Amino acid sequence: MEKLRVKTGSRNEMVDITDKVSLMVKKMGIMDGILHLFVPHTTCGLAVNENADPSVKADISGKLCGLVPEAGGYNHFEGNSDSHIKAALTGSCLSLFVEEGVLLLGRWQGIFLCEFDGPREREVWLKSVRQGDKPF
Amino acid sequence: MEKLRVKTGSRNEMVDITDKVSLMVKKMGIMDGILHLFVPHTTCGLAVNENADPSVKADISGKLCGLVPEAGGYNHFEGNSDSHIKAALTGSCLSLFVEEGVLLLGRWQGIFLCEFDGPREREVWLKSVRQGDKPF
Amino acid sequence: MEKLRVKTGSRNEMVDITDKVSLMVKKMGIMDGILHLFVPHTTCGLAVNENADPSVKADISGKLCGLVPEAGGYNHFEGNSDSHIKAALTGSCLSLFVEEGVLLLGRWQGIFLCEFDGPREREVWLKSVRQGDKPF
């Protein structure tokens, strides 16, 4: 398992981690298989979406805050229930394809860590399952 | 990796791709393992849900449009931010079980491509990880 | 493939299944790999979130019911369209990491079955892909 460190800059923010993940595919030496991503946190999520126009990630983040406002009559004593709810909606894991040593994404796709309770330093865990791995 | 082509007929629509995916399991010769599905697009998603009563998929699609309306004061210049947001909510990947050559789903479950910016021609990517694959 | 049985007690409820899943990792003898979870139902989902303060799961469940109310002018004849919609939002599958025989989660993370049409008896399916599995 490998770990990426991701620094987020505001309470709600989608941080593009595509380049970091692609570099890790090289570093891990994955040629063909599935790359699993997982965030070990309860107030951030993972998503695949457009990273060409930066207003897309702002619109996604903004609309999630509109649907799940910070002040919502919640019971959790820490006051960040909205963060937990948005994390449940986006999800904590992704399974991505790798072939010929390259992370396969659609033309407009990037990978995002969705911060809902920043700014913080976050971790993204990566683990691969490879075609043709030697058994041991 | 294999690819399915899926034609969608309207802007928002859930298209049942269960039969296409099941056929692909046969074609790929998967006997036992995990079948990963991925959409290389940023304005459609994947979901597993009921495919017995067609009103279920219409209700899901309709409610998502109610929560995330097309006109919502977004900034993205293409005018389809709602499509990107709904794609982030449903997600881009699925991991399904295969045993004895058969895709395992619950009694009422089907697999859906969730179109949020159609009509278009979409791709669904499929890649398997198999128990007992010969290493190479 | 292994199956867990989970009894839910009310219509909307997040049931902590972390201990059950951890025990199953031991029982299945998984040392290193990915553990896939799947619910074969169309009105419940899976999520990873905080299981320290029980008010978090109540806040998530409560907010989902606020966003997708039971009475919403739906067409599905069974009257539980809200349950299907909430299941589509949370998702049916998870991919979790296992190393050195231990299920790896963040400090505050637990695994939840998200019931949206209970009380019922539910199944959670588990299947692993292991590093170093012997081919057969």
Side-chain angles (χ1 to χ4, degrees), chain C:
Chain C
M1 181 173 89
E2 296 286 338
K3 295 180 183 181
L4 284 178
R5 292 204 162 272
V6 181
K7 228 172 176 150
T8 64
S10 44
R11 189 164 193 273
N12 288 277
E13 181 189 10
M14 288 180 67
V15 182
D16 187 344
I17 60 170
T18 315
D19 289 347
K20 285 189 177 195
V21 175
S22 290
L23 271 174
M24 196 58 91
V25 168
K26 305 286 177 204
K27 189 190 153 193
M28 294 167 80
I30 311 166
M31 289 309 294
D32 192 319
I34 301 292
L35 178 69
H36 294 277
L37 269 61
F38 183 78
V39 280
H41 309 288
T42 58
T43 54
C44 73
L46 290 168
V48 173
N49 215 288
E50 177 179 330
N51 65 355
D53 175 5
S55 66
V56 170
K57 63 181 187 180
D59 282 345
I60 295 173
S61 193
K63 181 63 187 180
L64 283 172
C65 292
L67 287 170
V68 187
E70 188 173 351
Y74 309 111
N75 294 308
H76 181 39
F77 69 95
E78 289 181 291
N80 63 348
S81 281
D82 64 309
S83 319
H84 291 286
I85 296 161
K86 287 177 277 190
L89 288 173
T90 47
S92 310
C93 50
L94 290 177
S95 303
L96 306 173
F97 293 15
V98 178
E99 296 205 340
E100 297 179 8
V102 177
L103 181 68
L104 299 181
L105 292 171
R107 185 176 174 185
W108 305 106
Q109 284 183 322
I111 307 161
F112 293 92
L113 180 132
C114 311
E115 175 64 84
F116 300 122
D117 197 22
R120 293 200 194 201
E121 194 152 323
R122 300 295 198 173
E123 279 185 6
V124 179
W125 294 353
L126 304 97
K127 194 170 172 71
S128 68
V129 174
R130 310 176 193 199
Q131 302 293 340
D133 260 358
K134 279 250 170 61
F136 57 88

Side-chain angles (χ1 to χ4, degrees), chain A residues 24-58:
Chain A
M24 196 58 89
V25 167
K26 304 288 176 204
K27 189 189 152 193
M28 294 168 79
I30 311 166
M31 290 309 294
D32 191 320
I34 300 292
L35 178 68
H36 295 277
L37 268 60
F38 183 78
V39 280
H41 309 288
T42 58
T43 54
C44 74
L46 291 168
V48 174
N49 216 288
E50 177 179 331
N51 64 355
D53 175 5
S55 66
V56 171
K57 62 181 187 179

